[in-house]
Amino acid sequence: MPRITVEVSEELSLQLAQVGDRLPELLALSLQQPAVPAQVYRYILDFLASNPTPEQIAEFKHTPEMQERLRTLLTRSNAGELTPTELKELDEYERIEHLVVMIKAGNF
């Protein structure tokens, strides 16, 4: 197994010592980034937490930034230019859209 040496502050060193054998697992988890920015999930969760009326649910839509990013990803996908990371992002946007459709249909 490869060995990596990293210089850290004394404070961080003490915190890492408390983690013990879980350090490789925690490092791996910290490198995993969500497929879409956290603010996308926060936007949807904030909306749901606001206890929206049926009318508000029917009118719910993505932010202009989310719509633009989705258009960009779809354009790149149609051109066969998506990177693996962008493909994961597009897949996640599709899952989010499915969730929104289910909420609007009252099946959630």
Side-chain angles (χ1 to χ4, degrees), residues 40-101:
V40 171
Y41 299 111
R42 184 171 295 116
Y43 171 74
I44 294 168
L45 289 174
D46 287 347
F47 172 75
L48 294 174
S50 74
N51 198 21
T53 65
E55 293 80 19
Q56 289 171 319
I57 291 171
E59 294 172 7
F60 178 81
K61 56 186 171 187
H62 299 299
T63 66
E65 295 82 11
M66 291 165 61
Q67 291 172 12
E68 180 59 32
R69 181 61 180 156
L70 187 53
R71 270 192 293 277
T72 298
L73 291 170
L74 290 171
T75 300
R76 289 182 52 77
S77 176
N78 290 336
E81 299 173 347
L82 281 182
T83 67
T85 301
E86 289 172 326
L87 180 57
K88 288 180 186 177
E89 184 180 4
L90 182 57
D91 288 345
E92 187 64 14
Y93 271 114
E94 288 175 356
R95 280 192 273 290
I96 290 169
E97 185 59 29
H98 179 71
L99 173 66
V100 170
V101 169

